Amino acid sequence: MTTQIRTQPACAPRALATILTAMLASASAAVPAAGEEAAAPPTVVLKAAHVFDSTGATLKDGGTIVVRGDRIVSVGGAAPAGVRVIDLGDATLLPGFIDSHTHLTMEFEKDYYHFVYNRIMRFPAEQALYGAQYARRTLEAGFTTVRNLGASDFVDIGLRNAINAAVAVGPRMVTAAHGIGSPGGHFDNYAYPPDRVKPWGPIEGICSGPEACREAVRYQMKWGADVIKIAPSGGVLSETDPVDVPQLTPEELAAIVSEAHKWNRKVAAHCHGDNAARLAIAAGVDSIEHGSFLTEDTLKLMKSKGVYLVPTRMAVYWTNKNADNYPPNIAAKARAAAAAHGNMFKAALRIGVPIAFGTDAGVFPHGMNAQEFGLMADLGMTPAAALLAGTRDAAKLLGLETEVGTLEAGKAADIVAVPGNVLSDIHATEHPVFVMHLGRIVVQKGGS
Ligand SMILES: [Zn+2]
């Protein structure tokens, strides 16, 4: 009896792991991924009128890319004879787009309380099924890599693993598990009575004091986080906190950043407020997300320290546009952030802060990510710089620059084509005619 009780807990996880491994193996064999019928032959040649390879800011005419398996073999060279050629005609070939700020397991809802309910009341399995749908939509929109900055119940970790195992179809995911923040702060904004809904703790990313926050980081990494997301400042879509106040102390920030960096995990800091951003930058974070109320001094500090700005213009635009649907305090925060954000972005451009493309998809409907290119261009960013932000520079922020972000021999065959000359019409990015991820064709409209 005693033996049975002792052996069961030790055996159960192994048995479960064996079952899961068997399920994954059979599922990946049985379930064809999108485009598998059109799966890449050993070698394929892509041709189009133009290519923007993201190694610089220029567009070249006469794009030819040779792909073998999941790798790019050559760009601009001669095409080998006797292999399949896909000629996309009057289009621009580009590296697969990278969104540095998504939430693939949640989705915009017009009704704020419905949005909240879906986020935290759905069963994890249900969230995962929705997430798989949003992941596929994101990939079909041309985004072959995303950095997913916050999800409940480790559903994002499961989604990433399922995509990697070819059980689900979606972009390469660099993912954060739970965002880390303070009780009552932006990531803990649901003020339900504690006797009805158990308050969240470090496992769910909510912590007070440096040691609890260190523990929160360790838990996210233990269960598979590739990056750490934190909320040093208040936010827009949370009911109970001011949008710009600091919500983590310098001691908590130092504990979080040092712990994450020890494991080579970067730290992405959600910050609208300037004071909060300065504390986060002093602690050594790698990027500031949103940045609505950043002052020029803080932007200069970011430039000097190489801290990226991930502007999420789409989230700012969308929450402002839908402000009437939100509770009054959230509407007021959305409008205040939108009023400040445009000038902040222009100052960041002028100062030369490194900018990585990121949208906050999930705050708006998945699949609209590429509208961010046009929104950045509207504020004076050149189309070429916007494209670099969404390819080469985002890859650097994610630490994936040797794998993705440019069209170069040896890199992953993550390739997008958009109609016409992309530098003449940046909105062409919103209508990809061809998407290839790791050599596998996901979208092909037209071409021969
Ligand atoms: Zn976000």
Side-chain angles (χ1 to χ4, degrees):
M1 197 63 196
T2 313
T3 311
Q4 276 178 347
I5 289 167
R6 269 208 302 268
T7 53
Q8 262 180 350
C11 287
R14 273 204 300 275
L16 182 62
T18 308
I19 293 164
L20 283 174
T21 306
M23 283 170 65
L24 279 172
S26 65
S28 59
V31 181
E36 192 154 288
E37 316 74 47
T43 301
V44 62
V45 176
L46 306 178
K47 286 189 167 191
H50 316 284
V51 61
F52 186 91
D53 62 21
S54 285
T55 60
T58 53
L59 181 127
K60 294 163 198 154
D61 286 334
T64 301
I65 303 174
V66 180
V67 171
R68 186 177 305 130
D70 66 354
R71 296 288 121 185
I72 295 172
V73 174
S74 65
V75 181
V83 299
R84 181 182 176 199
V85 177
I86 299 174
D87 191 341
L88 296 156
D90 185 20
T92 306
L93 291 161
L94 299 122
F97 302 138
I98 302 173
D99 191 333
S100 312
H101 192 136
T102 65
H103 299 278
L104 286 184
T105 60
M106 66 188 224
E107 176 62 312
F108 169 73
E109 288 281 350
K110 209 165 181 185
D111 180 304
Y112 175 77
Y113 291 106
H114 198 178
F115 170 78
V116 170
Y117 185 88
N118 285 349
R119 271 185 76 182
I120 63 171
M121 300 303 275
R122 276 180 177 155
F123 293 109
E126 195 179 357
Q127 291 180 53
L129 289 165
Y130 279 94
Q133 198 176 66
Y134 306 142
R136 178 189 280 266
R137 201 179 297 165
T138 302
L139 179 59
E140 288 173 351
F143 288 79
T144 49
T145 303
V146 302
R147 189 175 64 155
N148 202 70
L149 292 182
S152 307
D153 304 300
F154 300 99
V155 171
D156 57 329
I157 303 286
L159 180 59
R160 178 200 63 195
N161 294 351
I163 289 170
N164 289 347
V167 171
V169 177
R172 175 185 294 94
M173 285 177 74
V174 172
T175 202
H178 299 92
I180 294 171
S182 61
H186 180 55
F187 293 159
D188 185 34
N189 58 317
Y190 309 117
Y192 298 128
D195 58 331
R196 305 287 175 88
V197 177
K198 183 175 153 278
W200 287 340
I203 289 176
E204 296 86 8
I206 303 304
C207 54
S208 274
E211 287 319 305
C213 289
R214 190 183 296 281
E215 188 184 1
V217 175
R218 287 173 168 166
Y219 277 132
Q220 307 318 308
M221 297 192 302
K222 165 179 172 159
W223 282 301
D226 306 300
V227 58
I228 295 299
K229 168 80 178 296
I230 60 174
S233 125
V236 171
L237 292 179
S238 40
E239 267 198 291
T240 52
D241 59 334
V243 66
D244 57 348
V245 295
Q247 296 185 346
L248 290 169
T249 65
E251 294 76 21
E252 289 166 340
L253 287 162
I256 289 168
V257 174
S258 68
E259 200 62 26
H261 282 177
K262 272 189 247 169
W263 278 47
N264 287 324
R265 303 296 194 270
K266 295 195 181 187
V267 180
H270 156 105
C271 282
H272 289 280
D274 190 63
N275 286 339
R278 289 188 83 91
L279 294 175
I281 294 162
V285 300
D286 301 281
S287 64
I288 299 288
E289 313 293 310
H290 319 302
S292 303
F293 305 105
L294 297 186
T295 60
E296 296 210 2
D297 281 350
T298 303
L299 291 166
K300 285 175 186 160
L301 194 60
M302 288 169 68
K303 186 190 177 186
S304 71
K305 291 196 160 203
V307 177
Y308 278 78
L309 173 68
V310 179
T312 69
R313 289 290 303 157
M314 269 302 283
V316 174
Y317 157 77
W318 191 264
T319 51
N320 187 45
K321 183 179 157 207
N322 288 284
D324 287 345
N325 297 321
Y326 296 131
N329 56 335
I330 291 181
K333 293 199 285 183
R335 293 191 177 106
H341 195 275
N343 284 336
M344 180 284 299
F345 182 80
K346 287 182 195 165
L349 281 183
R350 201 169 55 241
I351 289 163
V353 178
I355 291 175
F357 179 110
T359 63
D360 219 355
V363 165
F364 62 88
H366 293 284
M368 295 167 61
N369 315 53
Q371 290 188 27
E372 181 86 13
F373 288 115
L375 289 175
M376 293 198 291
D378 286 347
L379 290 179
M381 194 174 208
T382 64
L387 292 170
L388 291 174
T391 53
R392 182 192 70 186
D393 299 344
K396 282 185 197 158
L397 171 60
L398 272 57
L400 293 177
E401 66 271 28
T402 59
E403 179 73 1
V404 295
T406 58
L407 296 175
E408 289 180 281
K411 288 206 173 174
D414 286 6
I415 302 168
V416 172
V418 304
N421 177 334
V422 72
L423 293 188
S424 328
D425 179 14
I426 191 73
H427 294 283
T429 52
E430 295 160 25
H431 313 286
V433 293
F434 180 85
V435 179
M436 174 180 272
H437 181 41
L438 287 167
R440 187 172 287 199
I441 297 167
V442 180
V443 173
Q444 187 182 349
K445 297 175 187 163
S448 56

